[in-house]
């Protein structure tokens, strides 16, 4: 469970005061209300952790999962299913408290009729462009619609005709009658209902008019007896309208809207519209591309729910907008995986090494060097092994810790070897090293002659290993603020995905299940791909490097 809800912050202070004053009759009921028009991203995770975390912390009411499905043109059942799965994967459960705003459509219609009857709403025949022209600006008042003074009877009749489908889309809307001179433009007779003749994924063909988000959201909160309606800062200017809807609809339960700052990561986009652009223009492989900041993408890359929750805890809850450095997220991921991921050997760019005096052996090695509770495993070593190409340097340069010609290096959890010869192809590329091993050096022991090895190498047994595809991922964008780009393509990192074929992995990884995470010794943290990995097609995604490669 996220610790965010347990930490003292301004929202907890408000709730504590409300409980002390019995304002909410001893209840704390929150909700996470996504619109099912896309996949959840890292920004939504903050709201999920906060809302569900508060419910778990106070134990004075549930957290509802409610789909605010008021715009069927952009909503799909696929998104509903994905959101449910993502929330559960993050570690939260709504129990019996699953709701849809569309479940309240009949009630919302009746509330709209009440507003009309009491003179607080009217049907307006202005087009969208005409409405914008009448709205005014931040410095100039708006103008009343010529339809604002329609009688209650005429408004009721036209609203019923809207419901019956007698008008085309865009020809009329139901608008709140508030104040066209209000300083807050959201209060200048905002739309409450519009015509949309599209099939709704939850209600089918039953409706052709749909409530606007601001109206449906506030009313749904009140219907569900939500006590504290937590949302991000962009809804702050909508709070007067939220309160107006609750008040004018006559709800006894009056939920309190409280705004907090959203999670902003540099080098990252959290706009659904722009994420959709990336997908539709095939700049990524899909919503679950491991470079995407979607919950789906982060999960497929191998990030754990615990790491996401920990990031939210560290960022905290405030009213101050700020940018969180992506390196913090990567460090959180490392810290989490360092404790939970078993170690394995893998060589991404193999260089063959022949050890002419070594017979086949089995070595018993720890699965986690700092935690004996992870147990041990057997790995084989033979006269042919692979090491990384980058771990060999023909002439060792100062400051490097590598194997070199006539030099020594230690094999991780094994012996010290020394290279006495090498072979090259016709282009001068090194194709094989010839080495011998020092049998007295097993278990970290020093060579008898006292000559120290020049480095530590990871390796795999060339006679007992498996081939794998490795996908190395980096940040999708090179620029800190990709949301400011006019053209997203301009900021894409051309090295955000590097595919390595025929990497060599230790044989124990042959039966790895999808989404299993490991530290590949000396390389980084990797996860068996959720979609492509199988026993016959080994595919691992690099989650994060062992250290921050973006540090300045």
């Amino acid at each position: 469970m996220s610790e965010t809800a347990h930490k003292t912050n301004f929202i907890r202070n408000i709730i504590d005061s409300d409980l002390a004053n019995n304002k909410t009759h001893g209840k704390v009921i929150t909700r996470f209300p996504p619109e099912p028009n896309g996949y959840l991203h890292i920004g939504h995770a903050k709201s999920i952790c906060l809302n569900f975390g508060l419910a778990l912390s106070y134990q004075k009411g549930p957290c509802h999962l409610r789909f605010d499905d008021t715009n069927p043109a952009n909503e799909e059942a696929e998104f509903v299913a994905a959101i449910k799965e993502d929330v559960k994967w993050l570690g939260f459960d709504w129990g019996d408290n699953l709701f849809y705003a569309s479940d309240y459509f009949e009630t919302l219609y009746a509330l709209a009729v009440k507003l009309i009857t009491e003179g607080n709403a009217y049907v307006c025949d202005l087009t969208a462009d005409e409405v914008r022209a009448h709205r005014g600006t931040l410095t100039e008042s708006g103008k009343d619609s010529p339809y604002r003074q329609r009688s209650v009877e005429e408004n009721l009749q036209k609203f019923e005709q809207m419901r019956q489908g007698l008008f085309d889309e865009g020809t009329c809307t139901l608008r709140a009658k508030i104040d066209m001179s209000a300083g807050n433009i959201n209060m200048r007779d905002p739309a409450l209902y519009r015509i949309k003749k599209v099939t709704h994924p939850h209600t089918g063909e039953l409706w052709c008019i749909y409530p606007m988000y601001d109206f449906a959201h506030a009313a749904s909160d009140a219907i569900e007896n939500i006590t504290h309606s937590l949302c991000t800062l962009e809804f702050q200017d909508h709070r007067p309208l939220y309160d107006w809807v609750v008040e004018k609809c006559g709800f006894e339960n009056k939920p309190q809207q409280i705004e907090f700052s959203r999670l902003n990561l540099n080098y990252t986009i959290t706009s659904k519209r722009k994420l959709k652009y990336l997908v539709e223009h095939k700049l990524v492989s899909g919503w679950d591309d491991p470079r995407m900041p979607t919950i789906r993408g982060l999960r497929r890359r191998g990030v754990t729910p615990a790491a996401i929750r920990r990031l939210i805890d560290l960022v905290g809850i405030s009213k101050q907008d700020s940018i969180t450095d992506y390196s913090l997220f990567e460090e959180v991921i490392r810290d989490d995986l360092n404790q939970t991921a078993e170690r394995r050997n893998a060589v991404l760019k193999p260089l063959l090494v022949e050890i002419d005096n070594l017979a086949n052996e089995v070595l018993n090695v720890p699965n986690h060097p700092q935690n004996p509770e992870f147990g041990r495993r057997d790995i084989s070593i033979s006269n042919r092994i692979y090491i990384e190409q980058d771990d060999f340097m023909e002439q060792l340069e100062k400051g490097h810790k590598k194997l070199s010609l006539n030099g020594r290096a230690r094999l991780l959890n094994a012996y010290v070897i020394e290279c006495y010869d090498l072979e090259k192809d016709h282009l001068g590329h090194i194709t094989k090293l010839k080495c011998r091993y020092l049998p007295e050096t097993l278990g970290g022991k020093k060579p008898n002659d006292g000559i120290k090895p020049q480095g530590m190498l990871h390796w795999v047994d060339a006679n007992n290993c498996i081939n794998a595809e490795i996908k190395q991922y980096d940040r999708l964008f090179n620029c800190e603020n990709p949301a400011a780009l006019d053209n997203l393509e301009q900021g894409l990192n051309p090295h955000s995905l590097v595919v390595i074929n025929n990497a060599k992995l230790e044989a124990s990884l042959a039966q790895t299940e999808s989404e299993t995470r490991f530290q590949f010794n000396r390389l980084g943290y990797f996860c068996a791909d959720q979609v492509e990995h199988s026993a016959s097609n080994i595919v691992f995604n690099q989650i994060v490097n062992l250290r921050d490669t973006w540090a300045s």
Side-chain angles (χ1 to χ4, degrees):
M1 184 180 74
S2 173
E3 297 176 1
T4 299
H6 292 276
K7 292 182 178 179
T8 298
N9 55 59
F10 78 97
I11 293 178
R12 280 195 68 99
N13 292 339
I14 292 172
I15 294 174
D16 290 343
S17 175
D18 291 345
L19 290 172
N21 297 324
N22 201 33
K23 179 180 177 181
T24 59
H25 307 289
K27 297 290 186 181
V28 178
I29 304 175
T30 56
R31 83 289 171 271
F32 174 60
E35 298 175 70
N37 59 359
Y39 286 81
L40 299 182
H41 54 64
I42 186 68
H44 293 112
K46 184 174 183 179
S47 180
I48 293 169
C49 290
L50 177 60
N51 280 287
F52 281 95
L54 285 168
L56 289 168
S57 172
Y58 281 97
Q59 294 290 305
K60 294 182 180 296
C63 178
H64 297 181
L65 175 61
R66 181 181 71 240
F67 291 98
D68 278 343
D69 53 346
T70 59
N71 187 4
N74 298 323
E75 296 164 359
E76 298 178 23
E78 171 191 351
F79 298 140
V80 171
I83 289 169
K84 291 179 185 177
E85 185 177 337
D86 288 348
V87 172
K88 287 197 171 184
W89 180 77
L90 279 172
F92 301 102
D93 192 348
W94 52 88
D96 297 328
N97 302 290
L98 175 64
F99 304 101
Y100 295 81
S102 56
D103 291 337
Y104 312 132
F105 277 177
E106 198 65 58
T107 300
L108 295 174
Y109 182 85
L111 290 172
V113 169
K114 171 183 170 65
L115 292 175
I116 294 172
T117 302
E118 295 178 357
N120 292 316
Y122 63 99
V123 175
C124 179
D125 294 348
L126 293 178
T127 66
D129 289 339
E130 290 170 335
V131 168
R132 279 190 288 272
H134 278 69
R135 184 172 289 128
T137 67
L138 293 174
T139 57
E140 295 180 356
S141 296
K143 296 185 297 183
D144 285 356
S145 164
Y147 307 101
R148 201 174 193 267
Q149 300 307 319
R150 275 178 166 154
S151 67
V152 169
E153 291 73 22
E154 186 179 1
N155 280 317
L156 289 172
Q157 181 183 25
K158 287 188 71 72
F159 189 48
E160 176 60 28
Q161 290 171 334
M162 285 173 61
R163 177 174 182 170
Q164 292 173 2
L166 301 182
F167 304 126
D168 294 333
E169 288 190 22
T171 56
C172 55
T173 55
L174 180 70
R175 297 175 65 183
K177 186 185 290 187
I178 306 178
D179 182 1
M180 289 302 295
S181 64
N184 185 337
I185 291 181
N186 293 297
M187 300 298 283
R188 295 181 185 177
D189 290 12
L192 302 178
Y193 266 87
R194 80 290 210 195
I195 301 168
K196 277 193 176 294
K197 295 184 177 181
V198 293
T199 302
H200 191 285
H202 196 56
T203 61
E205 307 290 341
L206 188 60
W207 294 86
C208 63
I209 59 170
Y210 293 96
M212 300 298 290
Y213 177 85
D214 281 335
F215 174 58
H217 180 77
S220 296
D221 279 353
I223 290 168
E224 294 178 15
N225 293 313
I226 301 301
T227 59
H228 300 88
S229 178
L230 312 179
C231 55
T232 46
L233 284 175
E234 61 262 37
F235 291 98
Q236 184 168 281
D237 290 341
H238 295 248
R239 194 199 315 158
L241 178 55
Y242 182 99
D243 293 340
W244 184 92
V245 169
V246 171
E247 182 67 32
K248 296 300 182 181
C249 286
F251 288 107
E252 291 186 11
N253 174 61
K254 292 181 169 54
Q256 181 179 0
Q257 177 174 306
I258 306 171
E259 306 87 16
F260 61 93
S261 60
R262 62 186 298 165
L263 175 61
N264 298 303
L265 286 172
N266 58 6
Y267 299 98
T268 305
I269 280 178
T270 53
S271 158
K272 278 185 183 178
R273 178 178 59 83
K274 292 184 177 181
L275 292 175
K276 186 177 181 181
Y277 177 91
L278 294 174
V279 173
E280 292 182 342
H281 288 76
K282 301 189 184 305
L283 301 175
V284 293
S285 62
W287 288 97
D288 66 344
D289 188 301
R291 295 166 292 178
M292 289 279 273
T294 55
I295 303 298
R296 285 289 169 106
L298 293 169
R299 176 179 178 177
R300 185 172 176 186
R301 184 160 177 169
V303 177
T304 66
I308 295 174
R309 295 194 302 265
R310 178 59 179 157
L311 174 69
I312 305 305
D313 295 337
L314 289 175
V315 170
I317 303 298
S318 73
K319 273 188 170 289
Q320 184 65 44
D321 260 331
S322 60
I323 304 293
T324 298
D325 196 302
Y326 198 89
S327 294
L328 174 65
F329 189 22
E330 292 177 324
E331 194 59 37
V332 167
I333 296 169
R334 285 188 200 96
D335 289 345
D336 173 54
L337 294 173
N338 183 49
Q339 299 176 51
T340 61
E342 292 190 6
R343 275 48 168 172
R344 294 292 186 271
N345 286 333
V347 174
L348 304 190
K349 298 178 182 178
L351 173 61
L352 182 62
V353 176
E354 287 188 351
I355 308 173
D356 54 19
N357 62 334
L358 179 62
N360 294 346
E361 288 189 30
V362 174
L363 304 174
N364 187 254
V365 300
N367 287 325
H368 195 296
Q370 289 87 40
N371 191 340
E373 293 182 3
F374 280 76
R376 303 178 71 87
R377 72 187 187 283
D378 290 336
I379 61 172
S380 65
I381 188 170
S382 69
N383 64 333
R384 298 173 73 250
I385 67 169
Y386 289 116
I387 66 170
E388 293 285 353
Q389 295 174 15
D390 292 342
D391 277 341
F392 180 80
M393 184 177 287
E394 191 167 353
Q395 297 295 326
L396 190 64
E397 298 174 3
K398 186 177 180 180
H400 289 272
K401 295 184 177 182
K402 300 184 179 187
L403 181 63
S404 62
L405 186 60
N406 299 317
R408 292 177 175 180
R410 181 177 292 279
L411 301 178
L412 182 67
N413 292 319
Y415 300 97
V416 172
I417 60 172
E418 56 185 10
C419 177
Y420 64 86
D421 198 3
L422 55 80
E423 294 182 5
K424 296 183 180 181
D425 62 17
H426 67 284
L427 297 175
H429 298 142
I430 298 170
T431 57
K432 183 166 64 176
L433 304 180
K434 294 186 177 182
C435 297
R436 62 178 65 92
Y437 88 112
L438 282 62
E440 74 273 15
T441 57
L442 184 63
K445 294 177 182 178
K446 297 178 181 179
N448 290 337
D449 59 14
I451 300 175
K452 296 180 180 180
Q454 294 300 310
M456 178 78 75
L457 313 181
H458 58 278
W459 57 276
V460 296
D461 184 348
N463 292 320
N464 185 27
C465 63
I466 59 174
N467 292 331
E469 179 179 275
I470 303 294
K471 295 185 177 181
Q472 293 181 305
Y473 292 101
D474 206 339
R475 301 176 192 184
L476 184 59
F477 292 97
N478 274 327
C479 57
E480 281 206 54
N481 185 19
L485 294 172
D486 293 329
N487 184 344
L488 290 181
E489 287 90 339
Q490 294 174 349
L492 289 174
N493 175 8
H495 307 296
S496 63
L497 171 59
V498 175
V499 179
I500 298 174
N501 295 303
N502 294 317
K504 308 297 182 182
L505 277 54
E506 69 172 72
S508 68
L509 291 167
Q511 302 303 318
T512 301
E513 294 184 2
S514 296
E515 295 193 78
T516 307
R517 304 168 185 87
F518 297 98
Q519 182 192 112
F520 287 173
N521 287 312
R522 301 182 65 245
L523 293 175
Y525 295 97
F526 292 77
C527 179
D529 187 82
Q530 181 187 24
V531 177
E532 298 178 359
H533 176 85
S534 67
S536 60
N537 183 45
I538 308 297
V539 181
F540 275 87
N541 300 325
Q542 181 165 349
I543 308 168
V544 69
N545 293 320
L546 287 180
R547 58 190 59 85
D548 184 6
T549 57
W550 284 71
S552 55

